[in-house]
Amino acid sequence: MTSLRQSLVLTFLSSNGATAIQFVVTVILARLLNPDEVGIYSVTAVMVSIAHLFRDFGVASYLQQEKDLTREKVGAAFGVLLTSSWVIATLVFVLSWPAASFYGQDGIRKVMQVMALGFMFIPFGAVTHSLLTRDYRAKEQAYVRVAGTLAYAISAIGFAYMGFSYMSMAWANLVNIIVTALAYIPFRPAVMPWLPRFSGWRRVLHFGAGATLGNSLGAINNAIPDVVLGKLSGPYDVGLMSRAWSTTNLLNQVVGPTISYAVLPFLAKAHHGGEGLRMHLQRGCAYITGLMWPAFIATAIFAEPVVLFLYGPKWLEATPLMQWLAIMFVLGTPFGFLGSAYMAVGRPYLATIPTVASLVLRGIAIAMLYDGTLISFSWAMVAAALLMYPIQAWMQKRYLGLDVRSFVAGQVHSTYVAVMCGLTSLALSWSTREWPAAWIVVAAGLLVPAIWLTSIWVFRHPLRQELEVFVKRYPAIARRLGL
């Protein structure tokens, strides 16, 4: 557990550093590029992200959950990944022409072709990354993350400043992939062969097919806002929705890599050790809701000053979208670990059931509610998330043993914390309504986290246990708090 905590701390620091740099890049690019330019790249990136899941073919999940990992199994996984990546690279390049024709945007073709090149290099770092994650070797991964992030930041800003428009992000993405693959070379584990192997590939394919099906459907589900809007409306609306989505979900981008870093290998080891997953999932639900719910509520309340402060008035139309998307994220947060849990117990196909249901519900909701406005599109996303709640709850009870009572119990303390942070945010928003946007954001950034920490402590939220572990490293403070 100590090794896991240390790895999580390192992952938190490195991923936060990377996220901070990427966020600064996003803010700078928002000043250098227009919504339609961002929209062209967003539509393309979402389509290519779906291809990435077929490219991975579940190899990462296989390597992290396999009980007895040998050099032969790793070589077979490398062979499967290399083959699938290069096949997908070819398909992405070829499909760039019909994709551009479908959306009526030639820029999509150019971005897709550059991103297709990235698939050629990804396998050389991806397998090493999965093996390091399996062993909680976050320190080595941190070095690589820093190298790749800096390469992306310098490239993206440099290309945008030189007038490359939406292509600046595409070229920066390719630079990031190449630098990351090279940076992983010194950290290759002994079990990782230099050349791919194809004996034993059937076992990898059997698991990978289920993982790929679930992950690809999930990616399609997440891609709906950008892909469907790109067709129904245009790149301008896509740009606004993309910025609203990423800003509302900002904290998840900050802590998400840390939260998800060891979930699959941890749950897999617990399952292989004969432990039930109910208590782990209940605790995980409490942790993630206690952390994310207050952030979504505060983001919704301070949406307008956040947009003005970060992106400027030309992005102000994203404000109401952020408020509705916050509700959608609140509804989905309690089920954040279910996909990993299904993988951990060796049943990746189960993850496809809620994803298919979500796809169908989103399609129906869009057809019934969308009237050409972004607000109605946001309503459709919220309606689908609301209908998905009982489906997800039933599945986790049926297949993972987390009954409704335990599930609700894991969210009670999180509700108290979220209410306190929400009331504080409302009071602060009302009292500072005449302030400049920057001052409001700073005030919220100082007060809301303080109220969150206090609420975690006072209401004895399960996250308090982790805070106590941290505080005990400082005996003077621990004594004052009675620890």
Side-chain angles (χ1 to χ4, degrees), residues 381-399:
M381 296 294 100
V382 173
L386 184 62
L387 294 173
M388 278 301 303
Y389 198 95
I391 296 175
Q392 295 272 40
W394 177 83
M395 284 199 63
Q396 67 182 7
K397 177 184 177 182
R398 173 69 176 80
Y399 297 106

Side-chain angles (χ1 to χ4, degrees), residues 368-388:
M368 295 180 63
L369 298 177
Y370 181 62
D371 60 6
T373 65
L374 285 173
I375 290 294
S376 64
F377 195 90
S378 301
W379 293 346
M381 296 294 100
V382 173
L386 184 62
L387 294 173
M388 278 301 303

Side-chain angles (χ1 to χ4, degrees), residues 28 125 174 288 378 389 420:
I28 294 174
L174 179 60
I288 195 171
S378 301
Y389 198 95
M420 288 301 300

